[in-house]
Amino acid sequence: VISHALGDLVNEEEALSRVIVTRAEKDLKEIKEVFAKRNNATIHEIVDRKTWGNYKAFLLALLAKE
């Protein structure tokens, strides 16, 4: 879901937000590890490149928590 949402961010912002928010306290660390292995980049790096403004700050803050 994260890969798809980051690939089509214009149409999938809601999906990206939903996944990061709902998984932030459960298994986001594991998701981040798997994502990095599959995509040769971290979720943090991709979110940093593909988002902007307060939305970017919000997602990066959630991703930084572990």
Side-chain angles (χ1 to χ4, degrees), residues 32-48:
K32 290 183 339 185
E33 291 170 1
V34 171
F35 182 92
K37 287 178 186 175
R38 290 184 180 175
N39 296 285
N40 294 320
T42 67
I43 295 173
H44 189 276
E45 293 168 338
I46 304 296
V47 168
D48 188 46

Side-chain angles (χ1 to χ4, degrees), residues 6 9 13 16-17 20-21 43-65:
L6 287 169
L9 194 58
E13 281 186 0
L16 180 60
S17 300
I20 292 175
V21 169
I43 295 173
H44 189 276
E45 293 168 338
I46 304 296
V47 168
D48 188 46
R49 279 186 280 175
K50 293 195 170 200
T51 60
W52 53 91
N54 291 333
Y55 181 62
K56 175 180 180 174
F58 169 70
L59 293 178
L60 291 176
L62 287 176
L63 290 170
K65 292 184 178 182

